């Protein structure tokens, strides 16, 4: 499909998806969010794509929701009505990204605030350039998180740190966010693209269904008791044991060679 607010480019096994509203710091319109979800869905149907990388054009990754559009009352709707039209579809787009069968990597190139942070929270792995800064920022404008931030942020960085970011409206560095546990790799700005691409090249050597099962298990475990989570792990292993990839992986181990996974 043709995209208006994102750029999509496949580089080897990686599908690069760039938020492309640099003049607005890549702020999230509903159309942009829907295009993101559509790009992920298309990537899942393409066996040559092994992971998606999300990044931003210009100096920001994403500065949050397009508040100018949300706050514009020229259409005659109340603010509550406009928020009700915007937030549920935004949440559905974020959920589509979070639940993708593919690994989703955020390559954070710059400012990441509010809805931009909520988007990063839906990604599996986060590579950030040193100058990038992260913040919730909703409190600065009398708003509340509406894209899952109040749920996902405490789970990713802990309740105390999440409350601090949410209540103060301040920002923290990429290095601080790595210490908090959200950023998985910190690089120089000039190395961001190469580092993200290298990560996908590494993931492409793994079993595609195997990685999908891992994502599924980790996500399910967030809402499960230890007993339920352990049972789900065994049930998932039993399902995965029927795949060609697990047979190939064990054969490669025995034969001391690199596995050639074929399941897609």
């Amino acid at each position: 499909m043709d995209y208006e607010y994102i750029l999509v480019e496949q580089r080897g096994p990686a599908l690069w998806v760039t938020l492309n509203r640099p003049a607005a710091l890549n702020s999230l319109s509903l159309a942009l969010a829907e295009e993101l979800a559509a790009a992920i869905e298309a990537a899942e149907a393409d066996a040559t794509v092994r992971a998606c990388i999300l990044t931003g054009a210009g100096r920001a990754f994403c500065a949050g929701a397009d508040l100018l559009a949300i706050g514009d009352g020229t259409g005659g709707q109340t603010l509550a009505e406009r928020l009700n039209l915007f937030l549920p579809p935004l949440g559905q787009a974020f959920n589509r990204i979070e639940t993708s069968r593919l690994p989703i990597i955020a390559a954070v190139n710059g400012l990441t605030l509010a809805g931009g942070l909520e988007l990063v929270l839906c990604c599996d792995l986060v590579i950030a350039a040193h100058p990038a800064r992260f913040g919730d920022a909703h409190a600065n404008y009398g708003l509340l998180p509406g894209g899952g931030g109040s749920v996902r942020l405490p789970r990713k960085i802990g309740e105390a740190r999440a409350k601090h970011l949410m209540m103060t409206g301040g920002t923290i560095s990429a290095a601080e966010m790595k210490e908090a546990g959200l950023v998985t790799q910190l690089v120089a700005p000039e190395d961001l693209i190469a580092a993200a691409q290298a990560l996908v090249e590494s993931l492409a050597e793994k079993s595609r269904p195997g990685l999908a099962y891992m994502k599924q298990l980790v996500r399910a475990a967030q809402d499960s008791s230890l007993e339920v989570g352990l049972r789900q792990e065994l049930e998932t292993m039993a399902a995965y044991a029927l795949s060609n990839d697990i047979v190939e992986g064990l054969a490669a181990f025995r034969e001391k060679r690199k596995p050639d996974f074929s399941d897609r």
Side-chain angles (χ1 to χ4, degrees):
M1 64 176 289
D2 294 327
Y3 299 105
E4 185 176 356
Y5 302 109
I6 62 175
L7 302 175
V8 177
E9 178 187 3
Q10 186 169 351
R11 304 177 194 172
L15 187 75
W16 282 80
V17 181
T18 303
L19 281 65
N20 192 35
R21 299 184 69 204
L25 300 180
N26 301 319
S27 60
L28 292 165
S29 64
L30 193 54
L32 189 155
E34 290 172 344
E35 287 187 1
L36 278 176
I40 299 298
E41 189 165 342
E44 289 180 343
D46 187 342
T48 67
V49 175
R50 304 305 301 276
C52 293
I53 302 172
L54 307 185
T55 193
R59 65 187 182 92
F61 176 80
C62 176
D66 188 343
L67 298 184
L68 292 178
I70 295 174
D72 183 4
T74 56
Q77 298 165 320
T78 66
L79 178 58
E81 289 171 334
R82 293 195 298 277
L83 287 172
N84 190 51
L85 288 173
F86 180 79
L87 291 177
L90 179 69
Q92 290 171 8
F94 281 2
N95 287 340
R96 185 67 187 84
I97 293 167
E98 184 177 43
T99 59
S100 171
R101 295 188 297 276
L102 293 173
I104 308 297
I105 299 161
V108 181
N109 53 301
L111 194 63
T112 303
L113 301 175
L117 176 59
E118 291 173 317
L119 174 58
V120 170
L121 290 169
C122 295
C123 297
D124 300 300
L125 302 170
V126 182
I127 302 176
H130 283 292
R133 295 195 68 82
F134 297 78
D136 179 72
H138 287 101
N140 295 336
Y141 304 100
L143 298 171
L144 301 176
S150 65
V151 180
R152 295 185 178 101
L153 189 60
R155 295 183 181 191
K156 291 290 182 75
I157 70 171
E159 182 179 329
R161 277 177 164 145
K163 283 181 179 177
H164 179 81
L165 274 182
M166 291 169 61
M167 292 181 175
T168 64
T171 64
I172 63 174
S173 69
E176 291 174 289
M177 196 57 98
K178 185 175 188 299
E179 180 186 352
L182 178 62
V183 170
T184 51
Q185 186 177 351
L186 194 61
V187 298
E190 62 270 21
D191 296 330
L192 181 63
I193 293 175
Q197 184 69 30
L199 179 55
V200 175
E201 299 283 351
S202 174
L203 295 176
E205 297 178 352
K206 310 300 189 290
S207 164
R208 186 175 185 178
L211 295 182
Y213 276 132
M214 286 181 183
K215 283 191 58 169
Q216 177 182 314
L217 282 170
V218 171
R219 188 167 187 270
Q222 304 303 307
D223 300 314
S224 303
S225 65
L226 178 61
E227 180 182 4
V228 171
L230 292 174
R231 184 172 67 249
Q232 288 176 329
E233 185 178 78
L234 292 177
E235 291 171 351
T236 301
M237 175 57 87
Y240 183 50
L242 301 175
S243 74
N244 294 325
D245 278 359
I246 195 168
V247 174
E248 166 61 14
L250 292 174
F253 178 80
R254 288 193 307 270
E255 298 163 13
K256 298 182 180 179
R257 60 174 174 81
K258 192 173 182 178
D260 181 19
F261 296 121
S262 60
D263 281 346
R264 296 292 182 267

